[in-house]
Amino acid sequence: MSADPLHRAGMPQRSKTSLPPSGSAASAIEVRRSARRRRTVSAYREGDRTVVLIPARMSEAEEQRWVNVMLDKLAAQESRRALGDGELAERAERLSAQYFDGRARPASVRWVTNQNTRWGSCTPSEGSIRLSHRLQGMPEYVVDYVLVHELAHLLVPGHGPDFWRLLEAYPRTERARGYLEGVVAAGRLPYLAGARSE
């Protein structure tokens, strides 16, 4: 995951730049293949570009899989850096502009520690959005989904068809919902003291 100065300075066997999947933070992805790299894959941000370093022998399918894995890892790493309430508000403003033409204007956006059964909440009459502290450390696209979800409530209260149509604008809605459902399901798994993993 960390920048690898040895490989960054060396000449890659093949380099390819492409647009990232929807919802990722970087504007471009550059894949650099190296004959010296045998098994490891790493990635780092370089300005507005994400550079992914892979072994030269990897197939196109393996390359695509690893690019997705590394984008998710970088996003999770960046999310672990705790955003302050001010940064969270700026992020909400950016998402509102991107997905709702700036129509969703929260009066406040902040982290809270008293939401253990929901990921976020919105009070449209006050224009306030609150996100559970449990989201901190989750991938960026998941936090963005919860923000977009709560921003949509500023425009359409409730979870009717108009609300879900608004959320169609966010391209990673289903993936983020699946991630959150997995977290909830994992939290319900019984812990068996002394159980051995097979």
Side-chain angles (χ1 to χ4, degrees), residues 19-195:
L19 293 176
S22 299
S24 74
S27 64
I29 300 165
E30 182 177 339
V31 177
R32 295 181 187 167
R33 289 177 173 260
S34 170
R36 291 183 294 171
R37 188 174 283 271
R38 297 286 178 215
R39 290 183 296 225
T40 61
V41 176
S42 62
Y44 59 92
R45 303 275 193 218
E46 190 173 78
D48 66 347
R49 171 194 335 253
T50 300
V51 178
V52 181
L53 307 168
I54 65 172
R57 63 170 175 69
M58 251 186 209
S59 69
E60 292 292 323
E62 288 176 307
E63 173 184 315
Q64 188 56 53
R65 184 177 74 79
W66 276 106
V67 165
N68 289 333
V69 166
M70 297 312 283
L71 286 174
D72 284 348
K73 283 187 176 186
L74 282 174
Q77 201 175 50
E78 290 162 354
S79 284
R80 278 191 284 278
R81 181 185 67 81
L83 295 174
D85 289 347
E87 292 170 304
L88 198 60
E90 289 173 14
R91 196 162 170 176
E93 187 177 321
R94 177 180 51 82
L95 291 167
S96 175
Q98 186 173 358
Y99 296 109
F100 304 128
D101 298 321
R103 294 178 296 133
R105 295 187 189 115
S108 68
V109 182
R110 61 192 173 94
W111 296 106
V112 294
T113 58
N114 63 349
Q115 289 188 15
N116 294 315
T117 59
R118 41 170 84 179
W119 299 112
S121 63
C122 175
T123 307
S125 62
E126 297 174 4
S128 63
I129 292 176
R130 294 160 305 282
L131 296 189
S132 172
H133 71 286
R134 297 178 305 137
L135 288 165
Q136 293 174 334
M138 290 190 187
E140 186 175 84
Y141 74 91
V142 175
V143 176
D144 283 353
Y145 163 72
V146 176
L147 271 173
V148 168
H149 183 108
E150 301 309 331
L151 286 165
H153 280 307
L154 292 175
L155 304 173
V156 179
H159 291 99
D162 290 342
F163 173 82
W164 293 110
R165 269 193 291 281
L166 277 177
L167 277 189
E168 289 174 3
Y170 185 64
R172 299 181 92 176
T173 291
E174 289 306 313
R175 186 172 185 193
R177 286 174 56 99
Y179 184 99
L180 292 171
E181 287 169 7
V183 169
V184 169
R188 291 183 181 145
L189 292 175
Y191 173 75
L192 302 176

